[in-house]
PDB file of all heavy atoms in Angstrom:
ATOM      1  N   HIS A 339     129.363  33.980 127.015  1.00  0.00           N
ATOM      2  CA  HIS A 339     130.763  33.633 127.270  1.00  0.00           C
ATOM      3  C   HIS A 339     131.019  33.766 128.764  1.00  0.00           C
ATOM      4  O   HIS A 339     130.595  34.744 129.364  1.00  0.00           O
ATOM      5  CB  HIS A 339     131.690  34.579 126.517  1.00  0.00           C
ATOM      6  CG  HIS A 339     131.501  34.549 125.043  1.00  0.00           C
ATOM      7  ND1 HIS A 339     131.617  33.397 124.304  1.00  0.00           N
ATOM      8  CD2 HIS A 339     131.192  35.534 124.170  1.00  0.00           C
ATOM      9  CE1 HIS A 339     131.384  33.681 123.040  1.00  0.00           C
ATOM     10  NE2 HIS A 339     131.126  34.950 122.928  1.00  0.00           N
ATOM     11  N   PRO A 340     131.727  32.796 129.355  1.00  0.00           N
ATOM     12  CA  PRO A 340     131.982  32.892 130.795  1.00  0.00           C
ATOM     13  C   PRO A 340     133.104  33.889 131.102  1.00  0.00           C
ATOM     14  O   PRO A 340     133.824  34.305 130.203  1.00  0.00           O
ATOM     15  CB  PRO A 340     132.415  31.478 131.160  1.00  0.00           C
ATOM     16  CG  PRO A 340     133.022  30.945 129.917  1.00  0.00           C
ATOM     17  CD  PRO A 340     132.307  31.594 128.766  1.00  0.00           C
ATOM     18  N   ALA A 341     133.229  34.250 132.369  1.00  0.00           N
ATOM     19  CA  ALA A 341     134.364  35.071 132.796  1.00  0.00           C
ATOM     20  C   ALA A 341     135.619  34.206 132.782  1.00  0.00           C
ATOM     21  O   ALA A 341     135.546  32.981 132.789  1.00  0.00           O
ATOM     22  CB  ALA A 341     134.103  35.626 134.184  1.00  0.00           C
ATOM     23  N   HIS A 342     136.776  34.844 132.776  1.00  0.00           N
ATOM     24  CA  HIS A 342     138.052  34.129 132.760  1.00  0.00           C
ATOM     25  C   HIS A 342     138.223  33.331 134.055  1.00  0.00           C
ATOM     26  O   HIS A 342     137.849  33.825 135.127  1.00  0.00           O
ATOM     27  CB  HIS A 342     139.181  35.159 132.623  1.00  0.00           C
ATOM     28  CG  HIS A 342     140.479  34.557 132.226  1.00  0.00           C
ATOM     29  ND1 HIS A 342     141.338  34.011 133.134  1.00  0.00           N
ATOM     30  CD2 HIS A 342     141.047  34.412 131.016  1.00  0.00           C
ATOM     31  CE1 HIS A 342     142.403  33.552 132.485  1.00  0.00           C
ATOM     32  NE2 HIS A 342     142.255  33.786 131.202  1.00  0.00           N
ATOM     33  N   PRO A 343     138.776  32.102 133.977  1.00  0.00           N
ATOM     34  CA  PRO A 343     138.938  31.302 135.208  1.00  0.00           C
ATOM     35  C   PRO A 343     139.696  32.029 136.308  1.00  0.00           C
ATOM     36  O   PRO A 343     139.361  31.921 137.484  1.00  0.00           O
ATOM     37  CB  PRO A 343     139.731  30.090 134.731  1.00  0.00           C
ATOM     38  CG  PRO A 343     139.471  29.991 133.286  1.00  0.00           C
ATOM     39  CD  PRO A 343     139.170  31.370 132.783  1.00  0.00           C
ATOM     40  N   LYS A 344     140.718  32.797 135.921  1.00  0.00           N
ATOM     41  CA  LYS A 344     141.515  33.471 136.943  1.00  0.00           C
ATOM     42  C   LYS A 344     140.780  34.646 137.591  1.00  0.00           C
ATOM     43  O   LYS A 344     141.210  35.165 138.612  1.00  0.00           O
ATOM     44  CB  LYS A 344     142.832  33.960 136.337  1.00  0.00           C
ATOM     45  CG  LYS A 344     143.851  32.860 136.178  1.00  0.00           C
ATOM     46  CD  LYS A 344     145.103  33.409 135.584  1.00  0.00           C
ATOM     47  CE  LYS A 344     146.129  32.303 135.394  1.00  0.00           C
ATOM     48  NZ  LYS A 344     147.262  32.771 134.578  1.00  0.00           N
ATOM     49  N   ALA A 345     139.669  35.066 136.952  1.00  0.00           N
ATOM     50  CA  ALA A 345     138.886  36.167 137.533  1.00  0.00           C
ATOM     51  C   ALA A 345     138.329  35.764 138.887  1.00  0.00           C
ATOM     52  O   ALA A 345     137.966  36.610 139.692  1.00  0.00           O
ATOM     53  CB  ALA A 345     137.758  36.561 136.593  1.00  0.00           C
ATOM     54  N   LEU A 346     138.274  34.449 139.133  1.00  0.00           N
ATOM     55  CA  LEU A 346     137.777  33.948 140.415  1.00  0.00           C
ATOM     56  C   LEU A 346     138.629  34.447 141.585  1.00  0.00           C
ATOM     57  O   LEU A 346     138.109  34.810 142.629  1.00  0.00           O
ATOM     58  CB  LEU A 346     137.753  32.418 140.373  1.00  0.00           C
ATOM     59  CG  LEU A 346     137.181  31.705 141.583  1.00  0.00           C
ATOM     60  CD1 LEU A 346     135.760  32.143 141.840  1.00  0.00           C
ATOM     61  CD2 LEU A 346     137.216  30.204 141.354  1.00  0.00           C
ATOM     62  N   TYR A 347     139.979  34.484 141.396  1.00  0.00           N
ATOM     63  CA  TYR A 347     140.865  34.951 142.475  1.00  0.00           C
ATOM     64  C   TYR A 347     140.496  36.372 142.870  1.00  0.00           C
ATOM     65  O   TYR A 347     140.391  36.722 144.033  1.00  0.00           O
ATOM     66  CB  TYR A 347     142.333  34.939 142.029  1.00  0.00           C
ATOM     67  CG  TYR A 347     142.833  33.613 141.552  1.00  0.00           C
ATOM     68  CD1 TYR A 347     143.808  33.537 140.552  1.00  0.00           C
ATOM     69  CD2 TYR A 347     142.354  32.410 142.105  1.00  0.00           C
ATOM     70  CE1 TYR A 347     144.280  32.327 140.100  1.00  0.00           C
ATOM     71  CE2 TYR A 347     142.821  31.196 141.652  1.00  0.00           C
ATOM     72  CZ  TYR A 347     143.781  31.153 140.649  1.00  0.00           C
ATOM     73  OH  TYR A 347     144.238  29.965 140.214  1.00  0.00           O
ATOM     74  N   ARG A 348     140.325  37.189 141.836  1.00  0.00           N
ATOM     75  CA  ARG A 348     140.008  38.589 142.089  1.00  0.00           C
ATOM     76  C   ARG A 348     138.652  38.695 142.779  1.00  0.00           C
ATOM     77  O   ARG A 348     138.477  39.473 143.716  1.00  0.00           O
ATOM     78  CB  ARG A 348     139.995  39.351 140.770  1.00  0.00           C
ATOM     79  CG  ARG A 348     139.704  40.811 140.943  1.00  0.00           C
ATOM     80  CD  ARG A 348     140.019  41.576 139.683  1.00  0.00           C
ATOM     81  NE  ARG A 348     139.651  42.968 139.847  1.00  0.00           N
ATOM     82  CZ  ARG A 348     138.585  43.524 139.300  1.00  0.00           C
ATOM     83  NH1 ARG A 348     137.780  42.820 138.559  1.00  0.00           N
ATOM     84  NH2 ARG A 348     138.330  44.796 139.498  1.00  0.00           N
ATOM     85  N   GLY A 349     137.708  37.871 142.317  1.00  0.00           N
ATOM     86  CA  GLY A 349     136.376  37.888 142.918  1.00  0.00           C
ATOM     87  C   GLY A 349     136.425  37.544 144.387  1.00  0.00           C
ATOM     88  O   GLY A 349     135.798  38.209 145.218  1.00  0.00           O
ATOM     89  N   ILE A 350     137.222  36.512 144.733  1.00  0.00           N
ATOM     90  CA  ILE A 350     137.295  36.088 146.137  1.00  0.00           C
ATOM     91  C   ILE A 350     137.948  37.174 146.990  1.00  0.00           C
ATOM     92  O   ILE A 350     137.430  37.550 148.046  1.00  0.00           O
ATOM     93  CB  ILE A 350     138.057  34.747 146.250  1.00  0.00           C
ATOM     94  CG1 ILE A 350     137.189  33.620 145.686  1.00  0.00           C
ATOM     95  CG2 ILE A 350     138.431  34.451 147.695  1.00  0.00           C
ATOM     96  CD1 ILE A 350     137.886  32.299 145.560  1.00  0.00           C
ATOM     97  N   ALA A 351     139.056  37.722 146.486  1.00  0.00           N
ATOM     98  CA  ALA A 351     139.762  38.758 147.251  1.00  0.00           C
ATOM     99  C   ALA A 351     138.855  39.967 147.479  1.00  0.00           C
ATOM    100  O   ALA A 351     138.765  40.519 148.580  1.00  0.00           O
ATOM    101  CB  ALA A 351     141.022  39.185 146.510  1.00  0.00           C
ATOM    102  N   ARG A 352     138.160  40.334 146.429  1.00  0.00           N
ATOM    103  CA  ARG A 352     137.281  41.482 146.471  1.00  0.00           C
ATOM    104  C   ARG A 352     136.119  41.260 147.441  1.00  0.00           C
ATOM    105  O   ARG A 352     135.812  42.119 148.274  1.00  0.00           O
ATOM    106  CB  ARG A 352     136.740  41.676 145.060  1.00  0.00           C
ATOM    107  CG  ARG A 352     136.309  43.039 144.698  1.00  0.00           C
ATOM    108  CD  ARG A 352     135.697  42.931 143.304  1.00  0.00           C
ATOM    109  NE  ARG A 352     134.685  43.950 143.155  1.00  0.00           N
ATOM    110  CZ  ARG A 352     134.942  45.178 142.712  1.00  0.00           C
ATOM    111  NH1 ARG A 352     136.168  45.507 142.361  1.00  0.00           N
ATOM    112  NH2 ARG A 352     133.994  46.062 142.612  1.00  0.00           N
ATOM    113  N   GLY A 353     135.495  40.060 147.318  1.00  0.00           N
ATOM    114  CA  GLY A 353     134.370  39.737 148.180  1.00  0.00           C
ATOM    115  C   GLY A 353     134.769  39.742 149.642  1.00  0.00           C
ATOM    116  O   GLY A 353     134.047  40.248 150.502  1.00  0.00           O
ATOM    117  N   PHE A 354     135.975  39.193 149.928  1.00  0.00           N
ATOM    118  CA  PHE A 354     136.460  39.121 151.299  1.00  0.00           C
ATOM    119  C   PHE A 354     136.653  40.523 151.867  1.00  0.00           C
ATOM    120  O   PHE A 354     136.197  40.839 152.962  1.00  0.00           O
ATOM    121  CB  PHE A 354     137.771  38.336 151.320  1.00  0.00           C
ATOM    122  CG  PHE A 354     138.186  37.908 152.688  1.00  0.00           C
ATOM    123  CD1 PHE A 354     137.533  36.849 153.321  1.00  0.00           C
ATOM    124  CD2 PHE A 354     139.205  38.560 153.345  1.00  0.00           C
ATOM    125  CE1 PHE A 354     137.905  36.462 154.585  1.00  0.00           C
ATOM    126  CE2 PHE A 354     139.577  38.175 154.626  1.00  0.00           C
ATOM    127  CZ  PHE A 354     138.928  37.120 155.238  1.00  0.00           C
ATOM    128  N   LEU A 355     137.310  41.385 151.071  1.00  0.00           N
ATOM    129  CA  LEU A 355     137.550  42.755 151.526  1.00  0.00           C
ATOM    130  C   LEU A 355     136.240  43.504 151.738  1.00  0.00           C
ATOM    131  O   LEU A 355     136.080  44.243 152.712  1.00  0.00           O
ATOM    132  CB  LEU A 355     138.414  43.509 150.511  1.00  0.00           C
ATOM    133  CG  LEU A 355     139.889  43.152 150.535  1.00  0.00           C
ATOM    134  CD1 LEU A 355     140.642  43.897 149.447  1.00  0.00           C
ATOM    135  CD2 LEU A 355     140.491  43.489 151.900  1.00  0.00           C
ATOM    136  N   GLN A 356     135.297  43.274 150.823  1.00  0.00           N
ATOM    137  CA  GLN A 356     134.022  43.976 150.944  1.00  0.00           C
ATOM    138  C   GLN A 356     133.240  43.524 152.166  1.00  0.00           C
ATOM    139  O   GLN A 356     132.547  44.310 152.794  1.00  0.00           O
ATOM    140  CB  GLN A 356     133.174  43.769 149.685  1.00  0.00           C
ATOM    141  CG  GLN A 356     133.527  44.743 148.585  1.00  0.00           C
ATOM    142  CD  GLN A 356     132.750  44.497 147.326  1.00  0.00           C
ATOM    143  OE1 GLN A 356     132.005  43.528 147.223  1.00  0.00           O
ATOM    144  NE2 GLN A 356     132.941  45.363 146.357  1.00  0.00           N
ATOM    145  N   SER A 357     133.352  42.226 152.513  1.00  0.00           N
ATOM    146  CA  SER A 357     132.582  41.739 153.655  1.00  0.00           C
ATOM    147  C   SER A 357     133.215  42.174 154.969  1.00  0.00           C
ATOM    148  O   SER A 357     132.569  42.222 156.003  1.00  0.00           O
ATOM    149  CB  SER A 357     132.463  40.222 153.604  1.00  0.00           C
ATOM    150  OG  SER A 357     133.735  39.645 153.779  1.00  0.00           O
ATOM    151  N   ILE A 358     134.515  42.490 154.930  1.00  0.00           N
ATOM    152  CA  ILE A 358     135.194  42.960 156.140  1.00  0.00           C
ATOM    153  C   ILE A 358     134.594  44.293 156.602  1.00  0.00           C
ATOM    154  O   ILE A 358     134.456  44.552 157.789  1.00  0.00           O
ATOM    155  CB  ILE A 358     136.718  43.122 155.870  1.00  0.00           C
ATOM    156  CG1 ILE A 358     137.385  41.757 155.768  1.00  0.00           C
ATOM    157  CG2 ILE A 358     137.381  43.966 156.932  1.00  0.00           C
ATOM    158  CD1 ILE A 358     137.650  41.065 157.064  1.00  0.00           C
ATOM    159  N   ILE A 359     134.212  45.129 155.634  1.00  0.00           N
ATOM    160  CA  ILE A 359     133.771  46.491 155.965  1.00  0.00           C
ATOM    161  C   ILE A 359     132.491  46.499 156.811  1.00  0.00           C
ATOM    162  O   ILE A 359     132.486  47.080 157.897  1.00  0.00           O
ATOM    163  CB  ILE A 359     133.631  47.347 154.687  1.00  0.00           C
ATOM    164  CG1 ILE A 359     135.013  47.540 154.071  1.00  0.00           C
ATOM    165  CG2 ILE A 359     133.006  48.701 155.000  1.00  0.00           C
ATOM    166  CD1 ILE A 359     134.996  48.053 152.660  1.00  0.00           C
ATOM    167  N   PRO A 360     131.403  45.818 156.369  1.00  0.00           N
ATOM    168  CA  PRO A 360     130.220  45.814 157.243  1.00  0.00           C
ATOM    169  C   PRO A 360     130.481  45.161 158.589  1.00  0.00           C
ATOM    170  O   PRO A 360     129.912  45.573 159.612  1.00  0.00           O
ATOM    171  CB  PRO A 360     129.174  45.031 156.445  1.00  0.00           C
ATOM    172  CG  PRO A 360     129.873  44.415 155.320  1.00  0.00           C
ATOM    173  CD  PRO A 360     131.112  45.183 155.074  1.00  0.00           C
ATOM    174  N   ILE A 361     131.393  44.160 158.596  1.00  0.00           N
ATOM    175  CA  ILE A 361     131.706  43.500 159.865  1.00  0.00           C
ATOM    176  C   ILE A 361     132.430  44.475 160.799  1.00  0.00           C
ATOM    177  O   ILE A 361     132.150  44.535 161.998  1.00  0.00           O
ATOM    178  CB  ILE A 361     132.515  42.218 159.601  1.00  0.00           C
ATOM    179  CG1 ILE A 361     131.548  41.138 159.123  1.00  0.00           C
ATOM    180  CG2 ILE A 361     133.257  41.761 160.840  1.00  0.00           C
ATOM    181  CD1 ILE A 361     132.195  39.965 158.484  1.00  0.00           C
ATOM    182  N   ALA A 362     133.322  45.270 160.210  1.00  0.00           N
ATOM    183  CA  ALA A 362     134.012  46.286 161.012  1.00  0.00           C
ATOM    184  C   ALA A 362     133.008  47.281 161.580  1.00  0.00           C
ATOM    185  O   ALA A 362     133.102  47.696 162.732  1.00  0.00           O
ATOM    186  CB  ALA A 362     135.046  47.015 160.141  1.00  0.00           C
TER     187      ALA A 362
END
Side-chain angles (χ1 to χ4, degrees):
Chain A
H339 300 303
H342 196 276
K344 282 180 181 169
L346 184 58
Y347 303 148
R348 181 167 176 255
I350 289 172
R352 205 185 151 89
F354 194 75
L355 284 177
Q356 276 177 354
S357 66
I358 287 282
I359 294 166
I361 282 164

